[in-house]
Amino acid sequence: MKLFRKTALLLSALLGFLLISCSSGNKKAAQQGFVVVKDGKFMLNGKDFRFLGTNNYYMHYSPDKMVTDVLDDASEMGITVLRCWGYQFGPNRDHNSHGMEEPGEFGVPEKYIKRNKKKPDQFGYPRDIFERLDYTIAEAGKRGIKLVIAMNNYWDAFGGLQNASTWQRWFNLSDVSEFYTNEECKKYYKEYVKYLLTRTNTYTGIPYNQDPTIMTWELMNEPRNQKDKSCTVVTEWVKEMSAYVKSLAPLQLCSVGDEGFMNEPDFVPYAGEGSTCYNGYEGSDFSSFLKIKTVDYGTFHLYPETWGILDKAQVEWSCEFIRKHAEAGRAAKKPVVLEEYGTTSSGNLNRLAVYDIWNDIAYKEGLAGSMFWILTSSNTYETAEGGDGLYDDYDGFRVMNDKSEVSTLLSNYAALFAGKTDAGYFNKTRVYLLNPARDQDAKGIFEVKAKAITGRGSDVKVKRAELYIDGKPAPSPRILNYNMDADVYRLNFDTIGNAKIFPDGSTLEMKVVFTMSDGSVLETESNSITISNVITYSVIKHYDFANDIADASSMGGYMAEIKEIKHTDLNGGMVEVVGSYSGENLWEELKVKFGTMREVADAAKLDFTFYYEKSKMIPNATKSDATDKLPGVQPYVAFDPGWVKTGLKENNAYLTDVPVVTLDDGKEYYKVTTELEFFQNPSYTFVTICPTLGYVKYDGSIYIDDVILYRKD
C-alpha cells in the first residue's frame, strides 16, 4: 500500500508539473514566435494566424535545390505553412533514404555510407532523412514558412503501417490494426518520436522541440482502423501519443493528421453518397479526436474523386463535408484545417472552379487554414536524364508556381487568409461551368450545371442564368434553375429531344451566361459536348493473357488482401490473382495495375471479365444493401494519373444474379462481365482493374480475362 501511495503522489506531482509546464510553455511559445492556440484560433506573435498552405512529400530525401525551389515557390505564392513527411521506416531503395532501418536504429547504417564523402545533393548519396529535415527546417525558417511534420504513415509509402516489411514484420503483426495496441509498436513509435523531437538541427544548432519554424508535430498521415467501427482503438492511441508528444514539445502544436472521417451513423450525407465517411466505417472519429486535450486542432482531407463520390454529386458533397468539419471545430472551440485536398487535372471536375468553391467556403466558415496537395517545383533527376527539369505530375494533383489560373487563384487565397489584401481579386463575382467541366461525350439527358461566387461586399445578385450553344441562346427551355441547397444552377438538356436541331454526332460548344441584378453580364468558360446516343467502337487492343499477364502488379487492397499475382493456363490463359475478402464490409476491393495497357490514352471503352470460384463465394447472411445490390459484385476501374475512378455502381449485381459457368478445370465459377464507357483522355497512362465485393467472403483465386480497349469511331 505504501508503494502504491508513493507512486500515486509522484504521478500527481508529475501531472501538476506538466500542467504548469504547459501553461508556462504557452506563454513562452507566444513570446518566441511559436504558433499557439487561443480561443479556438491560431495566434502568432499576438495576432490571428490564418493561412493557405500546401503539402510536399519529398522534402526529407531530395537534393538541396529541389528543397529550396519548393520553399522559394511557396514563399512567392504567399504560402506560409508547408506539411512534409518526417519518417522513413525500413529500406527505401527508390530514394536511397534512411530513417529508422530497424526498431531503435536511426540514420544511415554504416554499411551504406561510402568512403568518398559526397554532398547531399549529389546522386548516389545515401540520404539521412534527419539531415535532410535539418536542411528543410533551416531553409523554411529563413523564409518564414512554418512546418507541419508528420511522423508516420498508415499507407505503405516510406515504410508506413501497410508496408509489410516494416511494422508488420518487425513485430509479427497479423493485421495492421494491431499497430495501435501492440505494446512493442507503441514503445518504438515513441522512441522514434523522442529521437526526432529532441534532435538538434545540424544547420541551426536549435533542438527541434525548441524551433518555432516547426508549427506542428503530426501523429500519422491518415490513421484508420476498419476493424473497429466504434473508433475507440485509434482514439485511445491518439490520446496516449499526443500526450507523449506534448510532454516532449510543449512549445509546439500536436495534430492527428486524419482525413476527418466521423462516427455519426444517423447522418445522411448529400445525395446519400460517401456514407462510409460518416458512419465510423474507417475506425477514426474526427469529433472524438477534437475532444482530446493534447490534440491542439483538427485536420481533415478532401478527395471526392478518389473516395468514389459520383461525379454529379462531388461539388455539393464536398461543400457539405467542409461545413460539417467547421461546425465540429466551433463546437469543440478548436481550430480546424483542411489539411489536404485535390482534384486531378485529368478528372471530370472543373479544377479552377472547385478550388475556388472549396476555399471560399473554408474562408467563410472560419477554418484556420486550407492546404492543397501538392506543390512541386524542379527535379534535379529530370535535368540529369535530359528531361524538362520539372517534377512529374505523378498523382495528377500537381500545382506549380507557374502563374496559371489555378496557381494565381491559390496565391490570392493565400493573401486573403493572411489578411494582406483588400480582397480586390475577390471583389468581382466569378462564374463557372461545372458541367460539362471539359469536352466530353453526352447522351440522353445531360445535366448542365453552373455556379456563381458573389464578390465580397457586393449586393449584386444573379437575376438569370441562361444556356448558350455555339454562341447563341439555346433552344427553350434554356434558363437554369437555382438549387438553394446546393447553391448551383442546373438544367437538364435533352439530347434526344433536340435531335432534329442537333443530330447525333454534333459537337456543341456550351457556356452559361449570367445576367446580374445591376444589368451586367458574366459568361462562364466554354466546353463542348459531342452528342453520342449512337456510338460505334473499334478494338484497339485485346488482352487475352494467353502467354503473359500484361505486366500486372499489385496496388494493394482495401479491406481485402492480394497475396499473389501470376499467369495461369486455365481457360486458354488468364491473370490469376490470389486474394482474400472478409465478407464483413460493404466495400472490399483488390487493385491490379496493368503496366502495358498504354492504349488507354486513345480509348473510350473498356471490357473485362472476372471469374470467382462458386464454391468459395460465401454471401454474408446477416448483412445486405439493396441500394448497391449487396451481397454481390461491384467491379470498376481506375486510371492514372490521379486514380480516376470509372464505372462506380454501373455494373453492381447481386451475387444471385451473376451467371455461373464451368471452366476447363471442371469447376463452376461466377462470371462477371463488365463494359465501361468513359471520356477519352489522352493523359491517361495506366489501367487498374478492381475486383470488388460487398458482403461476400472469398479466399482463393480471382481470374481476370479478356481485357479489351476500344476507340470511338
Side-chain angles (χ1 to χ4, degrees), residues 364-409:
K364 289 175 179 175
E365 288 287 332
L367 292 190
S370 166
M371 307 174 71
F372 64 89
W373 182 279
I374 169 178
L375 178 67
T376 69
S377 300
S378 64
N379 189 341
T380 303
Y381 308 104
E382 278 276 347
T383 303
E385 296 169 2
D388 61 8
L390 298 176
Y391 196 83
D392 286 347
D393 192 10
Y394 292 110
D395 58 11
F397 295 103
R398 179 180 71 177
V399 173
M400 297 186 294
N401 179 31
D402 56 4
K403 312 307 178 188
S404 64
E405 286 184 314
V406 169
S407 68
T408 298
L409 174 79

Side-chain angles (χ1 to χ4, degrees), residues 44-56:
L44 178 60
N45 299 323
K47 298 179 180 179
D48 288 355
F49 180 60
R50 297 181 76 188
F51 56 85
L52 183 128
T54 190
N55 294 260
N56 186 288

Side-chain angles (χ1 to χ4, degrees), residues 315 348-354 357 430-440 446-452 466-468 480 489 508-514 523-529:
V315 174
N348 297 322
L349 294 181
N350 181 330
R351 196 183 197 197
L352 179 68
V354 165
I357 293 167
R430 286 97 63 207
V431 295
Y432 295 107
L433 187 62
L434 300 181
N435 196 39
R438 62 180 180 84
D439 298 345
Q440 61 188 71
F446 180 81
E447 183 185 56
V448 178
K449 187 160 56 175
K451 167 89 173 178
E466 192 172 5
L467 175 64
Y468 273 57
L480 281 71
Y489 292 82
L508 313 180
E509 186 180 87
M510 291 186 160
K511 66 181 178 182
V512 173
V513 176
F514 285 85
E523 298 183 1
T524 69
E525 65 275 40
S526 297
N527 285 314
S528 297
I529 65 166

Side-chain angles (χ1 to χ4, degrees), residues 97 187 227 255 263 295 332 370 387 431 452 487 528 587 613 654 676:
S97 59
K187 172 186 173 182
K227 300 286 185 181
S255 66
N263 189 15
V295 171
S370 166
V431 295
D487 192 26
S528 297
W587 185 269
E613 192 172 340
Y654 289 114
L676 296 177

Side-chain angles (χ1 to χ4, degrees), residues 151-323:
M151 298 183 289
N152 204 345
N153 193 10
Y154 176 80
W155 308 107
D156 63 352
F158 303 104
L161 273 59
Q162 289 278 2
N163 191 317
S165 67
T166 57
W167 300 96
Q168 294 180 57
R169 177 181 65 82
W170 291 342
F171 303 105
N172 195 29
L173 305 183
S174 60
D175 186 88
V176 295
S177 63
E178 295 177 11
F179 171 87
Y180 303 105
T181 55
N182 183 286
E183 292 302 324
E184 287 294 292
C185 283
K186 292 198 287 185
K187 172 186 173 182
Y188 281 102
Y189 174 81
K190 285 181 178 179
E191 189 168 322
Y192 183 80
V193 168
K194 183 176 181 180
Y195 180 88
L196 190 63
L197 272 60
T198 60
R199 175 182 174 84
T200 296
N201 192 312
T202 56
Y203 288 87
T204 66
I206 303 173
Y208 277 19
N209 58 4
Q210 296 178 33
D211 193 333
T213 297
I214 301 171
M215 168 178 156
T216 306
W217 295 108
E218 197 160 84
L219 301 180
M220 185 186 297
N221 177 55
E222 302 187 340
R224 65 187 67 212
N225 177 14
Q226 295 94 342
K227 300 286 185 181
D228 173 36
K229 301 300 188 285
S230 72
C231 306
T232 56
V233 171
V234 177
T235 300
E236 288 302 309
W237 182 85
V238 168
K239 188 179 297 183
E240 179 180 350
M241 297 307 164
S242 61
Y244 185 69
V245 167
K246 295 295 285 186
S247 72
L248 294 172
L251 301 178
Q252 293 156 330
L253 304 178
C254 180
S255 66
V256 179
D258 61 303
E259 290 147 294
F261 297 141
M262 295 180 166
N263 189 15
E264 299 181 13
D266 294 331
F267 178 73
V268 179
Y270 181 85
E273 288 291 306
S275 60
T276 57
C277 296
Y278 288 101
N279 63 9
Y281 186 77
E282 299 291 347
S284 63
D285 181 24
F286 177 80
S287 297
S288 293
F289 296 158
L290 280 178
K291 293 176 183 177
I292 298 171
K293 290 183 178 180
T294 44
V295 171
D296 291 300
Y297 64 95
T299 60
F300 71 106
H301 301 175
L302 182 55
Y303 296 100
E305 287 170 303
T306 56
W307 291 351
I309 309 303
L310 291 181
D311 286 357
K312 64 181 181 181
Q314 285 177 7
V315 174
E316 296 89 340
W317 187 94
S318 299
C319 294
E320 178 182 71
F321 197 67
I322 295 171
R323 292 189 179 101

Side-chain angles (χ1 to χ4, degrees), residues 88-92 96-115 117 125-130 170 195:
Q88 169 56 61
F89 303 115
N92 190 326
N96 198 16
S97 59
H98 305 269
M100 187 163 76
E101 294 290 303
E102 296 284 340
E105 296 180 9
F106 306 109
V108 183
E110 285 293 327
K111 62 182 179 180
Y112 294 117
I113 299 177
K114 298 182 179 180
R115 294 181 182 276
K117 301 290 184 180
Y125 186 90
R127 292 188 171 84
D128 180 337
I129 71 153
F130 304 112
W170 291 342
Y195 180 88

Side-chain angles (χ1 to χ4, degrees), residues 13-60:
L14 177 60
L15 179 60
F17 171 75
L18 286 175
L19 289 173
I20 293 170
S21 296
C22 288
S23 177
S24 61
N26 282 340
K27 293 179 181 178
K28 185 178 180 182
Q31 294 169 354
Q32 296 182 352
F34 289 85
V35 177
V36 298
V37 173
K38 183 179 180 181
D39 299 328
K41 299 178 180 179
F42 289 137
M43 304 288 290
L44 178 60
N45 299 323
K47 298 179 180 179
D48 288 355
F49 180 60
R50 297 181 76 188
F51 56 85
L52 183 128
T54 190
N55 294 260
N56 186 288
Y57 62 77
Y58 60 74
M59 308 293 278
H60 67 313

